[in-house]
Amino acid sequence: YVAGRLSRVAGLSPIIGELLTGVLLGPEVLNIIPYAGKKSNNNHIIWNDHDLLNIWGETGTIGVTLMIMESGMHVKFEKMFLIWKESLGVEILGTLLPVVSGMLCIELLVPGSMYPSGFAAGIALAPTSVGIAIKLLEENEQMNTMPGQTILAAAFLDDIFSLILLVIMINISSDHFTAASIILPTIEAFAYVGVAALLAKKVMPRLVPRAVHFVKLQSMATLQPRDELQLSLMIVLLVGCAIIGAIIGSHLLGAFVAGL
């Protein structure tokens, strides 16, 4: 937080200071966070011969899940329809170029490793950080401009395609790899997002307000019971959608759907 404030004073985005702080505290510099990286017991905690959950890894997983959900919450369907052609072009380049460049870089560094190692590296590079994009656009008051919406729409589509690539990669790495293990999850993922978009547009705006406004307001309450109900419904929806996404291939796909 302090580094972010100092970055703002210096005329930079707070994200710069926050990222640098993470690098400094991480395993490659000060290495003061226990079990945060490869220099700390291979990122695992062993206790009485049991492999325990890594609290930093689990916290990071929760953070990424919430960030992906937030990216889905910022989708505006009306503007998406207006600029889908431009966004699709940006998205295709934004997904394919990192995948191809990742494969080529790995091949140059380690000949013969273009697949599957290079493919995995390319998929890791493909997703757009929607959270950072949103933050930067808000800082510069560009969120509702056409270029801003084009960037956001491309980032959302890029995340969808990247998550589907992740699902494909997970299926490729399994012991039961077949053509169906790639084709079926791809169809399922697109269908899942399509159904979610339909529900988000037609069903949820009518269903949720009725459920929430069924609870009466309380004049003396600091936190309204209807707000607690809405938060509870959001958590239940996130968990449910994440489970379905995990069955298809990745819980992050479910998190994006929950955000929609």
Side-chain angles (χ1 to χ4, degrees):
Y1 173 77
V2 172
R5 299 299 296 178
L6 291 175
S7 293
R8 186 182 291 276
V9 171
L12 302 173
S13 171
I15 297 173
I16 303 297
E18 294 163 2
L19 286 172
L20 289 176
T21 301
V23 173
L24 290 174
L25 297 178
E28 299 301 327
V29 186
L30 297 178
N31 192 29
I32 64 173
I33 305 298
Y35 307 105
K38 62 184 180 182
K39 294 183 180 179
S40 301
N41 200 17
N42 198 26
N43 208 25
H44 290 275
I45 302 174
I46 308 298
W47 183 74
N48 285 353
D49 296 326
H50 293 287
D51 191 359
L52 303 181
L53 288 175
N54 181 348
I55 185 62
W56 306 112
E58 297 304 317
T59 303
T61 299
I62 293 172
V64 171
T65 302
L66 293 176
M67 186 181 71
I68 294 295
M69 183 183 73
E70 183 188 11
S71 71
M73 294 171 65
H74 283 276
V75 172
K76 293 180 174 62
F77 293 102
E78 293 79 8
K79 291 187 177 180
M80 288 278 283
F81 286 128
L82 291 175
I83 55 177
W84 70 272
K85 291 182 180 179
E86 295 85 351
S87 299
L88 187 61
V90 175
E91 181 277 325
I92 290 174
L93 287 175
T95 301
L96 291 181
L97 287 178
V99 173
V100 173
S101 62
M103 295 176 70
L104 293 176
C105 286
I106 294 298
E107 179 65 22
L108 288 173
L109 293 172
V110 186
S113 299
M114 179 177 289
Y115 178 85
S117 299
F119 185 51
I123 292 175
L125 293 171
T128 302
S129 180
V130 179
I132 292 180
I134 290 172
K135 193 174 182 65
L136 290 174
L137 289 171
E138 286 180 341
E139 287 178 5
N140 294 279
E141 298 181 354
Q142 295 294 312
M143 181 71 79
N144 293 317
T145 64
M146 293 303 287
Q149 284 297 306
T150 303
I151 291 170
L152 283 182
F156 296 138
L157 291 170
D158 182 58
D159 279 352
I160 294 173
F161 277 84
S162 298
L163 288 171
I164 291 171
L165 284 175
L166 176 62
V167 171
I168 293 173
M169 188 69 211
I170 291 172
N171 283 281
I172 289 175
S173 64
S174 67
D175 296 331
H176 307 288
F177 169 59
T178 62
S181 65
I182 295 179
I183 296 172
L184 289 179
T186 303
I187 296 173
E188 291 170 350
F190 274 110
Y192 190 28
V193 174
V195 171
L198 184 63
L199 291 174
K201 184 68 176 175
K202 301 295 184 181
V203 178
M204 299 299 284
R206 299 177 182 178
L207 182 63
V208 176
R210 291 178 182 176
V212 173
H213 288 288
F214 179 76
V215 180
K216 295 182 179 180
L217 293 172
Q218 296 184 7
S219 58
M220 300 300 292
T222 303
L223 182 62
Q224 291 292 334
R226 74 168 50 170
D227 295 332
E228 296 176 323
L229 175 61
Q230 181 173 342
L231 179 60
S232 300
L233 291 174
M234 291 172 68
I235 294 173
V236 170
L237 185 65
L238 172 61
V239 173
C241 291
I243 291 173
I244 297 174
I247 293 172
I248 295 175
S250 173
H251 78 282
L252 294 177
L253 183 64
F256 184 83
V257 164
L260 284 180

